Every structure is written in C-alpha cells, then in structure tokens.
Amino acid sequence: MASEGRPPGLRSPPFRGGRSRNPPRPRTNAAATHRGPRLPPTDPSRPLDIFLQQLVNGLTLGSVYAVVALGYTMVYGIIQLINFAHGEVVMIGALTAYSVIVALTGAQVPLPALAIVLVGAMVAIPVCMAVGYTLERTAYRPLRKAPRLAPLITAIGLSIILQNLAMIIWSRNPLSYPQIIQTVPYHLTGNPNGATITNVQIAILVTSVAMMGGLLALVYRTKLGIAMRATSQNPVVAGLMGVDINRVISLTFVIGAALGAVAGVMVGSYYGIAHYQMGFLLGLKAFSAAVLGGIGNLAGAMLGGLLLGVIEALGAGYVGDLTNLCQLSGWFDALAQRCASDPNVTLFGSNYQDVFAFLVLILVLVFRPSGLLGERVSDRA
Amino acid sequence: MTGHPTLLSAAGIGKRFGGVQALTGVDFTIRHGEIYGLIGPNGAGKTTLFNVLTGIYEPDDGSFTFDGQPLVGLKPHEVAARGIARTFQNIRLFANLSAVENVMVGRHVRTKAGVWGAIARDRRTRREEEGIERRAHELLEYVGVASRANDLAKNLPYGFQRRLEIARALATDPKLLALDEPAAGMNATETASLEALLHSIRRDGTTILLIEHDMKLVMGVCDRVLVLDYGKRIAEGPAAEVQKDPAVISAYLGGEVALNLKGA
C-alpha cells in the first residue's frame, strides 16, 4: 500500500509530564554500570510517575484501538471477512466530525465545546453507518459465496478508494481540529511534575467503556444479539429459523461503523489532527488488537485493544532507556568515552512505537494464532 | 386448523445438480393435521426434497402450494415466516448458544422488535423479549430439555440435542414441522419417547412431515407415506399398504431379492 511514511494522526500523543524518556542523568561511574532499569537519582517517585503516565496514555490509546477492533471482530465473527476498509470508516468519521466542528466554530455557534464535539459525532455516526452499509451491500454481499480471497482483496481495494475519496473531499493536508476543548490535567501522584490524566483522556476512556458495555449488552441480552450470534454460528440454519441473515449482516456492519465513527472522533480530538490516511495505520493496529484477543471474539477485541495500547505506550516509553548503549559503557572504552560527552546513545527511540503493535501481531500469529481468548483456530485461515 | 384440507401440495418437483437428477416430477399432498412419512433408500432425494421445500435450493421444475398460496422463490427466513420449520439429519444447533437461546432464535420470526428496540430498550421490546424467553422455556419443558436450559447446546447429550432441534423448530409456530431423521442414532428408549412427542405435537395441531429410516417408528406414527427412489415417487399411501408394495420392497432390498421373496 502506498503509504508515504506515517500518517500524522497516529504519532504519540502530545505528552505531558513524565513522558520525557531520557531525563538528564549524571554520569555514572564506569565501574558502577549495571543493566536493568536504572533509578534516576534525584526524584525517587519519578519512575512511578513515568510508568503511570505511560499506562494512562496506553489505556487511552488502547481503548480507542479496542473500539475500532470491535468493528473488525464483529464482521469477522459473522461472515469470516476481514474488512480492511474499516480503518477508512474511522478516518471518514474523524474527517466528517472535523468538518462539522470547523463549521460550527467558524459560525460562532453559541454552544459549549463539548456540545460541538458531540454534534460532530452525531453527524459522523450516521455518515459512517451509511458508508458501512454501502460497503456491505455493494461490495461484500455479491461476493458472499466467492472464494475468501476475493472479498479480502475487495476490502483492500475499497480502502484505497475511500482514502482517495477522502483526499478529494478533504484535501491531502493534515487538518487540525480546532482546539476548542480546554485540556485540564489531573495529577495522579503528589508530584506536581508527575503523571497526569486529562479530561479528554477520561472522556475517551469513559466513552469507550460505555460503548463496549452497550455492545456486550446488545449482543448477549437482546433478540437481535441472539440472531447475530446464531448467524455467526450457522447462517443457513439461522435463516431457516426465520432470521433474515442479510439484515443481520448489514446491521453488524452498521453497528461496527457507528463504533468506528465515535473512535474516529475520539482520535481526532485526542491528537487534534485528522488526515485522509490516518485510517490505514490505525486500522492495522486495531486489526492486530483483534487478532491478539482472538478474532471473532468481542471480549478478546476489547482486551486485545487495551493490551496493545499499553504495550505500545510502555514500549515507546522504555525502548530508549532499554537500548541505551551507555549501559554497556563499562565494557568498551570507546563507548565510555562517547558516553562521557552524551549519556544517551540509544539504538531505538520512541519513534519505534509502531513496531510494537506488529511485533505483537507476529508473535501472536506464530505462538497462539487463535489469540488470547479465541477458542478454535480457524480451519480456513 | 380451518380452511384448506390440503396444507402442502407439491407438483412436479424436479432438481438437478449438474448431471445428477436428484428429483424428478415428484407430486404429493399433505393434509392438515396428519403425520406424513417420506422414506426411501439412501440417496433417494429425501433431504434434497426438504431443502427445496424450505428454500435452501430453488427447484428446477414444479412448484409447491402451501396453505393455499404458492411457495416460489422465497428466502429461507420467508419460508419460515409462512409456517414451515425443519430439523436436520445431522444436528445443526447453534453449538455455542445455550439451549434456551437456541429456542429463542426460533421465536425471531414471530416477533417484531428490531434494532431500534434493541438500542432503545423500550417497554414493548422488553415485554416482547420476556415473552420470547418464557415461550422458549415452555417449549423446552414440552420436549423435555428444561432441566438443561442453560447448558450450551454442544454440551447436551445426543438425545437432548435432537429434542432441542425440535423445540427450536416449534418456536417458529410452524403449520408444518419437517423432521429429517429425528430418530437417527437414538436408542430404543429415546425413540419411544420421540414417538410420544410426535403424537403430542400432532395433537396440538401441527402437521408433521417426517423423513425416517426407522421403519418401526414410521409405521407407528405416520398416517400416509411417500416413497422415493432415485428421485422419483414410487409409491404413496397408508403406511401398511406401502410396506407391501412390490416396488418399495425391491427398492429397499434390491430387485433380485424381491423376486426371490415373491417366488418363495
């Protein structure tokens, strides 16, 4: 896929407080070199703050992954299709909400910031539902009985089409969300420079958890949910029992797209930026999360999303320290000299953040292809 | 049941799979309230006839009239809505749903609440869902699976799974219940209680179409029997008569054996 570098929507969140990975540290005596996490000498609460901050960032990011992963896993569960265009649905959600928010703030509509974002989401949701429905109806349904590779490649094609449509509509420039929501950090520890959680992060966490709870209730407590589960287990028999399976499949796409729309709005407001390619990497990571949890399994997608977010944040946060060659400066004189002038000779920095999601994907596929909560290995994979 | 004395009539049903003519010109009628048997050697086309009837396959020739109305080109869920429910030769329960949820799926066609109801959780939806669950428990009681209502279908004993399939089919409030070898693999005790169940289903007003290899069961419950061989109707009539039909005997035992029997 012609992805030129990283879509800007997925950089590490604008970090606060403890996010600085390489705090200036005094030179260590060559003889005192030891491996493993080193304690910064000045502030004893600092490692905890850094860890907490990464955890908060990771959970926020992870809850967005989880919501997007639900869209993948629901569709996979019901028709064994990996809808690679789902990330693009999220992107369209983010960009639609962007347009609405810009229009509302531009027109000086006297609404509180939160209400403006909500209106943006309320517009993005039906738009994405319509996109999800159209994808299923026009592209996937005609291929339902085709070999599995055909809808998969169609999905990739749709993803490219949607990216290009979005580029035509919203231009190829990264668009910044108007900074209307005042970010308020709350301290998690007594340390005034320590870990914080912001109101935006809290809102994302709460919204995600509420949506996941709502989806679980829908699937496990309602008639529609039973019909969905029945269709996923055996569509032919479900049809014979009076379930309109085409309708159930359409609804699955539509519900997944609605979740994706909200995820798009959350990502947009969190990073403050939206871009026509933002869905690609986000979608791949959410897909990795779904595989990590066990694709087709709702609880798995949620667990996988949260875990992936945390792994990514912790990985990005600590990879610099862990690969700092100065830990080995006692071994080589040349290195010791180099470290004397600059204590940070790191092999990998936090720009390797994206690697972790795919490292996890590879490890899961090699060692536990059915995922953490997945029961059976797909016989047709 | 009121109205038409004939519940289902099939006229000239034909179905081909490539070069294989699975069904050729099959005619029959099923009356309201009877238990109608469908028998024939393996590969005679019995299950194909079920599949054509329930909308899984389209017939290549012929048509069905159900309850006075043609049954053409309907999707499976529409056939279910018209009042035909079926079970399967090889059990096809929703293995990872509980027994009661399996039956609740069957109620789907008789209830209205859709996605908005599911999201809004209004009173009507909640009442409807309570009704579905109550009815599902009643049906489990009826077929004798109530004690395992909350077990996953895959964990139920075989005889229970067979009965659960019947309960799920009954949940659609069918006018015609089509059972594909319900006694397959059952022991004598299980078969006897199945026979009692079939009688009580009929007594409660549901017409039954039964595919079965267990001749004792067929003779015990069926009012009339249709015999298929190589996709063609070779006999039809009351069970006792069909049993003596030379064409039937020869189809089941092979032509020469039948001749020998006659000669003896």
Side-chain angles (χ1 to χ4, degrees):
Chain A
M1 196 157 296
S3 146
E4 36 187 81
R6 283 168 11 132
L10 285 150
R11 299 209 172 276
S12 357
F15 59 76
R16 306 168 180 86
R19 186 68 200 252
S20 52
R21 288 173 296 99
N22 298 319
R25 52 176 75 85
R27 280 202 49 208
T28 40
N29 188 326
T33 312
H34 60 100
R35 272 167 289 174
R38 287 172 301 169
L39 299 176
T42 46
D43 183 351
S45 75
R46 195 153 179 100
L48 177 69
D49 271 319
I50 294 178
F51 179 76
L52 276 179
Q53 190 62 59
Q54 304 298 4
L55 203 61
V56 167
N57 294 346
L59 285 174
T60 312
L61 193 59
S63 63
V64 175
Y65 289 158
V67 171
V68 181
L70 283 172
Y72 281 96
T73 222
M74 281 170 72
V75 166
Y76 185 87
I78 213 147
I79 53 171
Q80 285 76 51
L81 162 77
I82 293 164
N83 176 18
F84 274 119
H86 187 59
E88 270 54 54
V89 173
V90 177
M91 172 270 292
I92 288 175
L95 286 170
T96 306
Y98 161 82
S99 295
V100 172
I101 293 171
V102 165
L104 287 180
T105 46
Q108 307 277 323
V109 178
L111 280 175
L114 188 63
I116 291 180
V117 175
L118 274 182
V119 172
M122 287 299 135
V123 177
I125 289 172
V127 168
C128 287
M129 286 168 120
V131 172
Y133 178 81
T134 312
L135 292 184
E136 196 277 325
R137 195 71 190 74
T138 60
Y140 298 137
R141 191 178 297 181
L143 294 174
R144 194 152 321 142
K145 294 204 173 81
R148 284 159 60 85
L149 207 52
L152 193 72
I153 295 188
T154 304
I156 295 172
L158 286 172
S159 142
I160 295 171
I161 291 174
L162 289 177
Q163 278 190 27
N164 282 281
L165 277 180
M167 185 180 79
I168 292 169
I169 298 174
W170 282 285
S171 94
R172 50 183 300 127
N173 304 318
L175 306 167
S176 15
Y177 266 55
Q179 288 298 315
I180 49 175
I181 292 186
Q182 211 61 46
T183 309
V184 185
Y186 300 99
H187 286 280
L188 294 170
T189 56
N191 184 348
N193 296 318
T196 59
I197 184 166
T198 68
N199 53 348
V200 175
Q201 289 178 316
I202 293 173
I204 289 175
L205 283 168
V206 169
T207 312
S208 305
V209 170
M211 286 197 301
M212 293 185 230
L215 185 71
L216 285 180
L218 179 79
V219 170
Y220 289 100
R221 290 270 177 274
T222 70
K223 197 185 89 162
L224 175 64
I226 293 181
M228 288 169 77
R229 282 183 289 150
T231 304
S232 98
Q233 290 184 30
N234 193 332
V236 175
V237 181
L240 284 165
M241 294 307 139
V243 176
D244 182 348
I245 57 169
N246 280 333
R247 193 163 160 275
V248 168
I249 292 172
S250 286
L251 281 172
T252 307
F253 272 86
V254 166
I255 294 169
L259 294 175
V262 179
V265 178
M266 295 195 298
V267 171
S269 341
Y270 185 44
Y271 293 128
I273 213 161
H275 186 251
Y276 76 99
Q277 277 187 336
M278 66 185 278
F280 174 63
L281 195 53
L282 179 60
L284 274 185
K285 286 185 182 174
F287 168 67
S288 308
V291 172
L292 170 62
I295 193 146
N297 184 315
L298 293 182
M302 301 176 191
L303 178 69
L306 290 174
L307 268 180
L308 197 72
V310 171
I311 290 172
E312 217 180 84
L314 293 181
Y318 288 110
V319 70
D321 288 355
L322 292 179
T323 59
N324 190 345
L325 288 182
C326 287
Q327 293 174 77
L328 309 175
S329 55
W331 297 11
F332 307 103
D333 285 343
L335 202 57
Q337 280 166 17
R338 173 80 206 279
C339 290
S341 55
D342 172 11
N344 295 316
V345 183
T346 55
L347 284 180
F348 304 107
S350 66
N351 51 343
Y352 279 81
Q353 178 182 10
D354 296 338
V355 168
F356 294 100
F358 302 115
L359 210 57
V360 167
L361 180 62
I362 292 168
L363 292 177
V364 170
L365 288 177
V366 170
F367 293 107
R368 194 173 159 82
S370 57
L372 294 176
L373 301 185
E375 280 176 31
R376 51 189 174 164
V377 180
S378 167
D379 51 346
R380 290 171 293 183
Chain B
M1 284 280 162
T2 54
H4 234 262
T6 303
L7 178 63
L8 174 74
S9 68
I13 300 298
K15 178 72 196 171
R16 282 179 297 278
F17 295 105
V20 179
Q21 186 77 34
L23 293 172
T24 317
V26 178
D27 301 308
F28 62 93
T29 59
I30 300 178
R31 300 174 196 137
H32 273 296
E34 73 176 338
I35 299 185
Y36 191 85
L38 176 56
I39 64 173
N42 287 327
K46 306 181 295 290
T47 299
T48 303
L49 185 61
F50 260 43
N51 286 340
V52 173
L53 173 65
T54 51
I56 294 185
Y57 303 144
E58 290 244 5
D60 294 317
D61 310 299
S63 62
F64 292 102
T65 308
F66 182 70
D67 214 17
Q69 294 200 324
L71 205 63
V72 193
L74 296 182
K75 299 222 179 66
H77 72 269
E78 293 163 331
V79 174
R82 294 282 281 280
I84 300 180
R86 70 171 290 183
T87 66
F88 296 86
Q89 185 175 352
N90 42 349
I91 295 178
R92 296 198 202 165
L93 290 165
F94 302 116
N96 290 314
L97 298 188
S98 69
V100 66
E101 283 176 334
N102 265 280
V103 183
M104 287 162 77
V105 172
R107 290 304 291 164
H108 202 89
V109 71
R110 299 293 164 214
T111 49
K112 294 192 181 58
V115 62
W116 295 117
I119 291 167
R121 311 291 305 148
D122 53 305
R123 242 195 24 200
R124 202 175 57 81
T125 308
R126 282 205 307 269
R127 197 159 341 130
E128 184 175 284
E129 282 177 4
E130 281 161 23
I132 292 171
E133 203 168 340
R134 192 165 349 103
R135 178 78 181 130
H137 280 289
E138 282 168 18
L139 284 165
L140 287 180
E141 191 82 43
Y142 186 78
V143 300
V145 186
S147 59
R148 308 285 295 265
N150 294 317
D151 290 18
L152 291 187
K154 65 181 176 191
N155 296 335
L156 293 178
Y158 183 81
F160 275 50
Q161 293 191 0
R162 284 261 171 225
R163 288 156 163 279
L164 178 56
E165 260 206 328
I166 295 176
R168 184 179 66 179
L170 284 175
T172 65
D173 286 343
K175 292 176 181 136
L176 177 67
L177 176 64
L179 304 173
D180 195 345
E181 296 200 27
M186 281 191 172
N187 62 31
T189 332
E190 287 169 331
T191 307
S193 74
L194 175 71
E195 188 173 337
L197 177 63
L198 294 183
H199 279 300
S200 73
I201 291 171
R202 185 246 293 269
R203 206 165 40 242
D204 293 339
T206 306
T207 309
I208 296 175
L209 169 59
L210 175 70
I211 293 182
E212 189 48 70
H213 275 304
D214 184 332
M215 283 306 142
K216 202 160 142 280
L217 178 67
V218 171
M219 296 308 151
V221 299
C222 291
D223 301 303
R224 291 188 306 139
V225 176
L226 169 70
V227 190
L228 289 182
D229 190 27
Y230 292 110
K232 295 197 183 80
R233 162 182 163 156
I234 58 170
E236 198 219 23
E241 282 175 27
V242 163
Q243 207 172 7
K244 294 185 203 122
D245 193 306
V248 176
I249 295 171
S250 109
Y252 265 92
L253 303 178
E256 282 172 38
V257 182
L259 285 178
N260 289 343
L261 283 177
K262 252 190 218 165

